[in-house]
Amino acid sequence: MSELSDLPVVVIGAGPAGLAAAAHLRGRGMDFIVLEAGDAAGAAVREWGHVRLFSAWSELIDPAAEKVLADAGWTPPDPKRYPTGADWVAGYLQPLADALGGSVRFNSTVTAVAKQSRDRLVSSGRDEAPFTVHVTTPLGAEHLTARAVVDASGTWSGPNPLGGDGVPAIGEHEATNRISYRIPNLGNAGELDRYAGKHVVVAGTGASAKGALIGLTALARTAPETRITWLVRRASVGEAFAGSGQDELPARGELGQQAQAAVESGPVTTMNGFRTSRVSRQDDDRLTIESFDGQIVTDVDEMVVLTGFRPDLQMLSEMRLDLDPVLQAPRELAPLIDPNEHSCGTVYPHGAKELAQPESGFYLVGMKSYGRATSFLALTGFEQTRSVVAAIAGDHEAAERVELTLPDTGVCGGARLFDDESAEGGSCCAAPEEPELIALGKSI
């Protein structure tokens, strides 16, 4: 056995995809280390713990992880129920991390991935060199060496800005005390007070934005002075309300109907074709929002910006990556997930072959593998990790045997033409099942 193969596989992120990768590595008897920046498993999921997922429990548990949990005496949840993010953490992600034991390290932030003793320019002996993973911990910085690296760090830390051209609008940074890039948890007293009776602007048309609209309009029924302005970049709302009757994820199809009813019956002003250029602070400390074409919204108390996410590639600056120039996803994967052409159910089954990078042994998996594309399902991440771990183990037959059936939908959204009716789209994983679930933060 070579020296390289004696090294562990490093997995970045202890979320759904990262822990699934660890479970597959455990199943193959391979050494691994999971590095999680947060202080517990599913740190990102915990931040939207009040939100109910589109997928039932049966679609949220990786098969290899289920075996690890069963060996630890775990009792599986009702497969037909739809958990919240908090339920997913408490009933699956944290127990899985606990079962994986000391191989999962928390408060460990990966700052860079490189090839040992080689910067990006050096080709000689590159494939034979181990990876060096630079980590910051409470005890200081360290380097770990690895035979392979699976980056499952997700995109939660990289919300898209409000600016309509993909960069922060003028004044956006200065107004961050009045801007949230997360779905409000109106079951939290502090957040409830933040939005009740205020003029709230919601930007975005994906699942998260629809969920926020449902919650805020429900809030307006108990706090009548609450008013909402909805900023839509497209020429019309269009497909943001589509889905019912054509979506194999029933909870998501229902979300579109609920959002439409909320907007039509609530104190919501919709502004179409609004691509934000500037955020200004008024004399009374409220905000004015301007678009590139001259539209203006004044007297804004709070903004909820839900325009999607993008991958953080800074820590991979010394990696040789082959990414699509539009989606920032692996080049071989990009045509299969392009939101202009695909929804969740039309994504072609994929695995290690499509995720492979010029750096042998390095893979992007989970939401990060989709770059800026939306429509990601937990099931997709589980199958990705199964295939990738098989490839790392040298089981190429298993790596190529990718079988995945996803729910069919036509509502995930995409870029398409500049002024068509499509929207930014949203995650196929998370959305509330009922309006009051966001408003009250209930768990049923």
Side-chain angles (χ1 to χ4, degrees), residues 63 77 87 89 103 123 135 209 220 245 275-276 286 394 413 416:
D87 295 334
V89 169
S103 295
S123 297
V135 187
R275 299 180 179 88
T276 304
R286 294 195 288 180
R416 299 190 187 176

Side-chain angles (χ1 to χ4, degrees), residues 43-67:
V45 179
R46 292 170 190 268
E47 293 193 30
W48 50 266
H50 58 293
V51 179
R52 193 165 299 278
L53 282 80
F54 289 135
S55 301
W57 270 114
S58 60
E59 298 171 337
L60 296 169
I61 298 172
D62 175 80
E66 186 171 19
K67 185 177 187 308

Side-chain angles (χ1 to χ4, degrees), residues 316-372:
L316 306 179
S317 62
E318 288 304 311
M319 287 285 92
R320 295 180 177 181
L321 303 178
D322 186 18
L323 303 180
D324 179 77
V326 176
L327 296 183
Q328 293 180 298
R331 191 180 299 272
E332 292 295 317
L333 176 61
L336 310 181
I337 61 173
D338 187 344
N340 297 301
E341 305 293 337
H342 294 282
S343 64
C344 297
T346 63
V347 172
Y348 186 81
H350 63 276
K353 177 178 178 295
E354 292 80 12
L355 299 170
Q357 290 296 305
E359 303 282 14
S360 178
F362 178 83
Y363 296 91
L364 298 170
V365 302
M367 193 65 213
K368 191 166 186 177
S369 72
Y370 269 43
R372 297 199 187 192

